Amino acid sequence: MIDMPAKRPPVPLSLERIIDAALHIADGQGLRRLTMRRLGDALQVEAMAIYHHLPRGKDALMDALAEHVTAVQVGPEGLDGWQDRARAWARASRAALLEHPGVLSLALTKPPKGSALIAIREQAEQLQEAGLGDASEAVRALRAYVFGSVAVEVQQSGWADPDATVQHARTADGEREFEHGLDALITGLER
């Protein structure tokens, strides 16, 4: 008698697994190629199983992806003054968006919900506690700058070109240009 290796039980489906697989598809093949069927195939489940975690289907998936890349958390520990906190939030937001350029369009167009909305409120509270007067307005300006800067960098990298063989959305001068613009924005907010 031949002993067969024990069959490993399947990994349970979770919202986290769904989001990770969806990000992998969107970043590798583009958001247009992200279908519930393709996502189910990637997860080795029937597409209908995904609806248990996302009852609103693809709309809920798009919301979850946007929330995932925009719900950035930065603790105030070790950050002196609102300027350092603003820089830390902006850098973390840029990194999250560049890590998943396939869903940048969702981050730009979907209104913040859930943990993303909580993160925005937390950012404003931290900036206000650190001495910035109109922190809500500053957060709007910082988010607009980060999103716009990342969109330009992704465009310049050629990542979004369907015929390109570019693997990463970052450009050689992207970080330097980002920091230069961020310094200018923070200087403007100090006034």
Side-chain angles (χ1 to χ4, degrees), residues 19-20 22-24 26-27 31 61-74 89-117 119-120 123 143 146-147 150 159:
I19 290 172
D20 286 345
L23 288 170
H24 183 75
D27 291 338
L31 201 53
L61 177 61
M62 298 299 119
D63 287 345
L65 293 175
E67 183 176 340
H68 180 82
V69 297
T70 58
V72 175
Q73 298 290 321
V74 176
W89 277 93
R91 289 173 183 146
S93 295
R94 175 180 179 263
L97 291 169
L98 285 173
E99 184 177 341
H100 297 293
V103 295
L104 176 61
S105 63
L106 295 175
L108 293 169
T109 58
K110 294 275 186 183
K113 295 179 182 177
S115 58
L117 195 56
I120 291 168
Q123 181 182 10
R143 285 176 51 85
V146 170
F147 285 20
V150 169
W159 183 89

Side-chain angles (χ1 to χ4, degrees), residues 71-85:
V72 175
Q73 298 290 321
V74 176
E77 301 82 25
L79 299 172
D80 297 326
W82 69 264
Q83 297 89 339
D84 289 344
R85 292 178 185 191

Side-chain angles (χ1 to χ4, degrees), residues 82 138 141-146 180-190:
W82 69 264
L142 286 162
R143 285 176 51 85
Y145 171 70
V146 170
H180 179 74
L182 183 57
D183 287 343
L185 177 57
I186 288 175
T187 297
L189 292 173
E190 289 174 336

Side-chain angles (χ1 to χ4, degrees), residues 11-23 36 39 43 49-57 59-65 67-68 115:
V11 178
L13 190 59
S14 66
L15 184 57
E16 183 178 318
R17 276 192 64 220
I18 293 168
I19 290 172
D20 286 345
L23 288 170
M36 297 305 263
L39 182 57
L43 293 164
I50 298 167
Y51 289 87
H52 175 72
H53 297 276
L54 297 164
R56 288 188 6 252
D59 286 341
L61 177 61
M62 298 299 119
D63 287 345
L65 293 175
E67 183 176 340
H68 180 82
S115 58

Side-chain angles (χ1 to χ4, degrees), residues 156-178:
Q156 289 176 343
S157 74
W159 183 89
D161 182 349
D163 298 325
T165 58
V166 176
Q167 296 294 317
H168 302 286
R170 296 178 186 267
T171 63
D173 294 327
E175 187 170 353
R176 181 187 54 76
E177 292 171 353
F178 177 80

